[in-house]
Amino acid sequence: ILLLNRCMSSGGTKRKVPPGWEEKVSKTTKRKYYFNPYTKESQWSVPTEPAGEVCRCWHILVKHEKSRNPSSWRETKVTRSKAEAVKLAAQMLNEVNSQPTTEARRDRFAEIARVQSDCSSAKKGGDLGRWVAGQMQPAFERAAFALEVDQLSGLVHTDSGVHIILRTG
C-alpha cells in the first residue's frame, strides 16, 4: 500500500513533521521515511526534534515606535523612540551583567524579562524554547548562534526592536 504523504501516529491522527525534515517514500520498499538535509541522515520513524542547527535561548525585547509591530502585552501602543529603547535595553544588559555568577545572571535575566520584555515570551522568563536556523529574523539568528551556552549577547537590532539574548542550549 502506498502511504499517503502525511505522518500518522498510532492513534491515526495527523502529526506534523518537525521543521527541517523532509518526508520521502523509498523507491525500493515504498515505505515512508524521513530525511534530514543538514546531516544527510535518514530514518524510518517520525522525528521528534527539528532538523538543522538547533538553538535554545531566552531574550528580552524592547520595542520602539518604529518596530514592525509597535505594541505588546505591556502596552497597546509603544511610543518610545529607538534611542530610548536602546538606552533601556543597555540598562537591562548592565543589570544582568553585574550579577556575580552564571546562575545569578540567569535568574536576573528571567526576572527582568518577566516584567519588562515586550515579547509574549516574558511569561516564561523570555524562554523562546528550541528552534532551528531559518525560524527567526536573520540578525537575531546570527547573534544567537554566535553565542556559547550561558553567554549573553550585546544589543541586537531587528525589525521587532532591540533584543538581549541569553543562549541556554
Side-chain angles (χ1 to χ4, degrees):
I1 297 173
L2 181 62
L3 296 173
L4 297 176
N5 196 16
R6 64 179 145 144
C7 297
M8 302 294 281
S9 71
S10 59
T13 58
K14 285 185 185 180
R15 212 168 44 159
K16 282 188 170 185
V17 176
W21 286 90
E22 296 175 9
E23 186 176 301
K24 298 185 174 208
V25 177
S26 167
K27 292 177 186 173
T28 315
T29 66
K30 307 293 187 230
R31 286 181 53 202
K32 183 171 33 178
Y33 70 96
Y34 304 90
F35 178 71
N36 181 333
Y38 300 97
T39 64
K40 308 294 186 221
E41 296 175 7
S42 58
Q43 64 187 52
W44 295 111
S45 60
V46 178
T48 57
E49 297 293 327
E53 189 175 3
V54 176
C55 187
R56 183 170 188 158
C57 62
W58 300 351
H59 84 132
I60 296 169
L61 172 62
V62 182
K63 290 187 175 187
H64 51 79
E65 62 191 355
K66 301 286 186 197
S67 295
R68 69 176 176 179
N69 180 16
S71 65
S72 76
W73 67 274
R74 297 176 54 242
E75 302 174 83
T76 305
K77 183 176 183 186
V78 176
T79 58
R80 75 174 67 88
S81 69
K82 185 173 181 178
E84 291 169 325
V86 167
K87 183 178 178 183
L88 181 57
Q91 291 169 344
M92 293 178 203
L93 181 59
N94 288 337
E95 173 64 24
V96 174
N97 274 327
S98 73
Q99 303 307 306
T101 66
T102 300
E103 185 177 341
R105 279 190 293 279
R106 276 182 170 234
D107 290 346
R108 188 66 184 127
F109 189 99
E111 289 169 8
I112 291 171
R114 279 187 191 91
V115 176
Q116 296 189 51
S117 180
D118 288 316
C119 181
S120 60
S121 68
K123 294 177 268 201
K124 298 179 280 182
D127 188 353
L128 293 172
R130 293 169 52 95
W131 50 274
V132 295
Q135 289 185 293
M136 301 292 182
Q137 292 179 49
F140 187 96
E141 282 193 6
R142 282 191 300 276
F145 280 116
L147 298 171
E148 299 293 327
V149 173
D150 288 323
Q151 187 179 5
L152 198 59
S153 73
L155 302 184
V156 178
H157 299 266
T158 70
D159 291 342
S160 296
V162 184
H163 305 260
I164 305 166
I165 304 167
L166 175 63
R167 183 155 184 182
T168 58

